[in-house]
Amino acid sequence: MAFHDSFNESIEPVTISCDNIVANCAVPFVPAMLDEPHASSLKQKIGLQTNSCSLLCLYLGFKTNLEIYGVKYYSNYIQGDNVKTLKDVHLNQLGDWSKRSFIFVDYGRIDAQLAPPEKSVGAICGVDYLKNWEGLSKDEYKAKKEEVAQILLQRLEKQFPGIRESIEYYEVATPKTIQRFTSNPDGSVYGFTQSKEQSGMKRLRNNFLIPNLYFASAWTFPGGGFEGTIMAGFLAALQMNRDKIWSECDDTKYDDHKIVSLLERKKIDNQTLALSFEKPTGFQHKKGQYSILNLLNPKVTELDLPYRWLPVDSSAKEDTLRFHVELDDSSFSKSCELIDIGDQAMIFGPMS
């Protein structure tokens, strides 16, 4: 198995020998990673398969608990006006957002710890397709996202009067967003379409092509969705255990050059902290670049993630890599204040 650093293409790929490989990516991408005749065999196997729909999601941050607006349930289905029978569902999913059915989820109905006390996080989600967002300029794309957001927020307000006044933040994710962050073709969230012809026992199994190649994702049996995807991984692990294609453990340790140690922590002022790390091997400086700083052992993790996209403050001539961290009372910021010399972080870069 060869690993490529997608953040820094100048670094040579690293090859690691292994007994089993799990393809947890979209199956249509796998043929390009195989030798013949397996590549052609898989292409033929999936050639007539169609991809599932994508989604449009409107993420919402609320400054209050939503029960005061009549939200009683975790998941709330808002049916489109033109859906009278099951035959109407698909046409509705292709129609105008002023009539399209959608789901509103209030994460505050469960103890998800996604928001501070007395606040809530929610999401509006509806079926969508990548083709609806293609061929737009940057400004047109941004304008269309805002237009759809306002339509959905108006419909949410109609269902739960007064709820709009509680919204502190909202952000739209389109099928283009899903395709970008998940690499699923067409932004397909359920893998291959879960139609009668592509569901159940007709779904690809976790080991059907090469003895030591296993598939585990929404694209395989039993299908998409949280439960289906989790089950696919579980079944792949069970099959690997049954097959027992294992050799003696290789004690050779893969040296990840992106993992570096903190050399200096310095407070610039009351709002800014400077962290200087070892420079990762092969790191390339670019003007105006950002890199991802991922703390491997954060001291504080409440309601936050241990990484940030940060501008690189050091120059190419310096032997260290320096970041300025804004002290904003977040868990990440607090972890940076508590980090000790020698503590490790993973740095992904460059990003322009």
Side-chain angles (χ1 to χ4, degrees):
M1 172 63 71
F3 293 88
H4 300 263
D5 190 331
S6 60
F7 291 91
N8 194 336
E9 296 180 356
S10 67
I11 297 178
E12 290 294 319
V14 176
T15 300
I16 297 177
S17 298
C18 55
D19 294 313
N20 300 300
I21 295 176
V22 179
N24 194 36
C25 59
V27 173
F29 291 140
V30 177
M33 295 183 274
L34 297 175
D35 295 327
E36 294 294 352
H38 308 298
S40 295
S41 176
L42 182 55
K43 280 183 181 179
Q44 184 178 8
K45 184 82 174 177
I46 65 176
L48 298 179
Q49 301 266 4
T50 58
N51 297 341
S52 75
C53 66
S54 188
L55 298 173
L56 180 131
C57 298
L58 176 58
Y59 301 105
L60 302 160
F62 298 95
K63 60 186 177 183
T64 57
N65 186 294
L66 300 184
E67 193 171 5
I68 60 174
Y69 303 110
V71 182
K72 298 179 181 179
Y73 307 105
Y74 167 78
S75 183
N76 305 270
Y77 176 62
I78 314 301
Q79 182 173 304
D81 295 337
N82 56 356
V83 178
K84 307 300 181 183
T85 69
L86 284 175
K87 292 181 179 180
D88 300 327
V89 172
H90 182 59
L91 286 176
N92 173 264
Q93 294 169 350
L94 300 172
D96 189 270
W97 280 104
S98 63
K99 298 180 180 179
R100 201 179 301 192
S101 301
F102 66 87
I103 298 287
F104 171 62
V105 173
D106 174 17
Y107 293 104
R109 302 305 303 176
I110 59 175
D111 186 18
Q113 296 185 344
L114 294 175
E118 306 307 320
K119 293 192 176 187
S120 189
V121 173
I124 290 174
C125 186
V127 170
D128 203 358
Y129 296 87
L130 183 65
K131 62 184 179 182
N132 295 331
W133 297 90
E134 293 180 317
L136 301 175
S137 68
K138 185 176 180 180
D139 289 340
E140 290 171 338
Y141 178 67
K142 184 176 179 180
K144 184 173 180 179
K145 287 206 300 182
E146 181 61 23
E147 178 187 0
V148 172
Q150 292 304 319
I151 291 172
L152 292 174
L153 290 176
Q154 182 179 356
R155 293 182 63 193
L156 185 68
E157 171 72 15
K158 183 178 179 181
Q159 190 72 26
F160 304 107
I163 197 171
R164 286 193 70 163
E165 68 183 25
S166 181
I167 298 174
E168 289 187 304
Y169 178 83
Y170 66 86
E171 185 169 335
V172 180
T174 72
K176 289 186 69 173
T177 315
I178 294 173
Q179 180 178 245
R180 176 189 172 194
F181 284 96
T182 70
S183 295
N184 281 302
D186 300 327
S188 302
V189 291
Y190 302 113
F192 293 120
T193 302
Q194 297 186 138
S195 60
K196 183 174 65 175
E197 296 78 19
Q198 297 181 180
S199 296
M201 300 305 292
K202 297 178 182 178
R203 208 79 171 173
L204 296 177
R205 312 303 288 188
N206 54 55
N207 179 238
F208 65 90
L209 190 68
I210 305 173
N212 60 344
L213 175 61
Y214 299 85
F215 294 85
S217 69
W219 297 80
T220 59
F221 178 83
F226 290 107
E227 294 86 352
T229 306
I230 292 170
M231 184 62 70
F234 177 68
L235 292 174
L238 282 181
Q239 189 63 51
M240 289 171 63
N241 228 20
R242 291 193 191 100
D243 294 343
K244 295 181 179 176
I245 307 175
W246 307 101
S247 59
E248 290 296 320
C249 180
D250 184 356
D251 292 332
T252 303
K253 184 179 179 182
Y254 169 59
D255 187 13
D256 192 341
H257 297 293
K258 294 189 294 293
I259 297 177
V260 294
S261 299
L262 178 70
L263 299 176
E264 183 183 29
R265 183 189 68 227
K266 182 179 180 181
K267 199 165 186 180
I268 304 300
D269 52 45
N270 290 333
Q271 298 296 323
T272 312
L273 181 70
L275 299 178
S276 296
F277 291 88
E278 298 170 330
K279 185 183 293 186
T281 302
F283 187 88
Q284 294 180 315
H285 277 80
K286 290 184 178 180
K287 185 178 180 180
Q289 80 182 63
Y290 280 66
S291 290
I292 300 174
L293 174 63
N294 184 14
L295 306 177
L296 294 188
N297 295 292
K299 304 290 195 300
V300 185
T301 58
E302 183 180 3
L303 296 175
D304 204 352
L305 295 170
Y307 59 83
R308 287 290 189 277
W309 285 260
L310 298 172
V312 176
D313 186 62
S314 52
S315 68
K317 296 181 180 179
E318 295 181 63
D319 295 329
T320 61
L321 200 61
R322 186 172 60 254
F323 299 96
H324 280 180
V325 179
E326 181 182 352
L327 302 179
D328 55 7
D329 204 37
S330 66
S331 292
F332 177 82
S333 165
K334 292 176 181 177
S335 292
C336 288
E337 289 186 278
L338 296 172
I339 193 172
D340 296 318
I341 304 300
D343 283 354
Q344 292 185 319
M346 185 176 289
I347 296 176
F348 299 90
M351 299 175 64
S352 297

